[in-house]
Amino acid sequence: MTSGDNTKLLVLSGGVGGAKLVQGLADVLAPEQLTIIANTGDDFEHLGFYISPDIDTILYTLSGRSNVKQGWGHMNETWSFMQALKELGGESWFQLGDKDLATHVIRRQLLAEGATLSEATADISRRFGIKINIIPMSDCPIRTIIESAEREYTFQEYFVKHQCQPAVRKIKYHGLEQAKPSPGFTAALQDKMLKAIIITPSNPYLSIDPILAIPAIKNTLQQNKIPVIAVSPIVAGRALKGPTAKIMSELGVEVSAVSIAKHYTGLVDHFVIDDEDAGLAEAIRELGISVHSTNTVMLNMDDKRNLAADVLDIVYNYCH
Ligand code: FO1
């Protein structure tokens, strides 16, 4: 499968880890071959704006605007708005940079004019010159809620305000009962040219599970038999970024690529682990999942492109 043929991939993505593999895939495939489904469980309304971090991470990454060092937001950011807001006693625990603010002003305007989140995302994508279809998992509000022994936190309260410090006891997704997948997500799953579904190395609990938890999605993925390939976010017992390892420990799960494979059992056909974890391959095969090992640590564009090429090799050689 190379850029130029007409097979398609559907990619489920969260934040930074997901966006890195998306960037690699975007480099080796034609835009019309890729559809990206973004987690919206992290979304919330703040200062009158609709904040959608995982959508924006993908938008900024694919348009070459991402703030790589910070790990979120816009590159070459300035903070005049936040500074002025702070001086006026406004809420400042969640930082919106000046450039990021422009994205939020446009999104608010589109949503206020009646656009769905899918339509607003497509519109902003076009403004950024992105040709790849970036689609929110749902146009309905689904919100990730973190439960600790003491209380419940909305996602950004847990992640930003409390810096992931509370010990996680349970993770819930509010709004699932009424939620439908976005029309673009449903259409992509029904596309006859869809060859495989890729689960990026994003946090399974915070980024991928909210997508899989949408009732119609779970059923469709189990019934339509499209091969699913997942890349492990855990390498040598560590998470490359974010609180994945901490959350696994708190939930009583061993921090290992095997646990991630177990988590996806019944859904995933192929599991990509890092070469450092090659010794775990047999334990994963025993789960009935085929295993592929390669370098999954994406430190630069070559790493992203190479991992994307390895994933495509699996699609080409094993997904018929
Ligand atoms: N992360 C932070 O750690 N601190 C922030 O102030 C912050 C602001 C922010 C604004 C817009 C946006 O799209 C993302 C932002 N993030 C911030 C990142 C975000 O909380 C997380 O990275 C994701 O939700 C997890 O994928």
Side-chain angles (χ1 to χ4, degrees):
M1 183 165 160
T2 54
S3 166
D5 74 36
N6 54 4
T7 49
K8 292 185 178 171
L9 297 185
L10 184 63
V11 183
L12 311 186
S13 184
V16 178
K20 283 182 176 179
L21 181 56
V22 165
Q23 200 181 6
L25 289 165
D27 211 58
V28 295
L29 290 170
E32 58 278 8
Q33 291 181 276
L34 271 180
T35 301
I36 316 299
I37 303 300
N39 166 45
T40 56
D42 301 7
D43 294 12
F44 76 136
E45 305 248 356
H46 185 62
L47 303 175
F49 295 107
Y50 185 92
I51 317 279
S52 193
D54 289 354
I55 288 181
D56 288 350
T57 295
I58 297 166
L59 288 172
Y60 293 155
T61 301
L62 288 183
S63 64
R65 287 171 168 83
S66 69
N67 191 328
V68 177
K69 199 158 160 234
Q70 188 174 249
W72 51 271
H74 202 291
M75 72 193 302
N76 302 327
E77 192 56 283
T78 54
W79 302 94
S80 299
F81 163 71
M82 268 337 278
Q83 191 54 41
L85 186 70
K86 231 183 265 179
E87 282 164 20
L88 292 175
E91 254 187 280
S92 60
W93 63 273
F94 192 82
Q95 307 274 310
L96 284 181
D98 302 331
K99 292 187 173 70
D100 200 19
L101 188 61
T103 307
H104 288 92
V105 168
I106 303 250
R107 180 181 290 125
R108 184 171 66 181
Q109 195 178 355
L110 293 166
L111 293 174
E113 285 165 5
T116 62
L117 184 60
S118 294
E119 290 162 349
T121 305
D123 190 312
I124 298 169
S125 271
R126 268 193 301 279
R127 292 169 195 249
F128 282 151
I130 297 170
K131 296 202 177 78
I132 292 168
N133 216 353
I134 301 168
I135 302 175
M137 64 188 197
S138 177
D139 287 330
C140 313
I142 299 172
R143 298 291 172 259
T144 300
I145 303 292
I146 309 295
E147 193 183 292
S148 75
E150 291 77 37
R151 55 165 280 205
E152 287 186 353
Y153 300 86
T154 62
F155 182 81
Q156 297 299 341
E157 270 183 327
Y158 162 76
F159 199 89
V160 176
K161 201 184 238 178
H162 295 277
Q163 302 282 297
C164 305
Q165 273 163 7
V168 177
R169 198 168 63 177
K170 198 172 171 196
I171 301 169
K172 301 189 279 198
Y173 312 105
H174 279 185
L176 279 177
E177 299 74 24
Q178 303 84 352
K180 287 195 297 247
S182 57
F185 193 0
T186 304
L189 282 170
Q190 288 166 352
D191 191 326
K192 293 275 176 294
M193 302 314 292
L194 180 61
K195 185 103 168 171
I197 296 166
I198 315 294
I199 298 181
T200 55
S202 295
N203 185 316
Y205 311 96
L206 300 180
S207 301
I208 304 298
D209 283 359
I211 306 178
L212 300 175
I214 303 172
I217 292 305
K218 217 186 263 169
N219 299 341
T220 308
L221 290 181
Q222 274 160 1
Q223 284 159 17
N224 76 359
K225 305 271 187 283
I226 302 286
V228 180
I229 303 167
V231 180
S232 177
I234 296 289
V235 173
R238 296 184 309 273
L240 296 172
K241 208 188 160 287
T244 312
K246 179 177 179 283
I247 291 175
M248 289 174 85
S249 305
E250 289 162 359
L251 293 176
V253 178
E254 190 199 347
V255 185
S256 139
V258 179
S259 304
I260 305 288
K262 270 189 195 145
H263 186 80
Y264 288 137
T265 302
L267 171 72
V268 161
D269 304 286
H270 299 273
F271 195 61
V272 182
I273 55 173
D274 192 81
D275 286 331
E276 271 199 74
D277 283 329
L280 301 177
E282 200 43 48
I284 296 170
R285 260 182 228 115
E286 279 169 14
L287 300 169
I289 299 173
S290 81
V291 189
H292 310 260
S293 100
T294 185
N295 172 45
T296 62
V297 182
M298 294 176 278
L299 299 177
N300 54 46
M301 196 56 218
D302 275 347
D303 293 337
K304 295 173 195 173
R305 206 179 288 121
N306 289 338
L307 181 56
D310 290 333
V311 168
L312 290 181
D313 270 350
I314 300 170
V315 174
Y316 187 68
N317 291 310
Y318 298 94
C319 304
H320 302 292

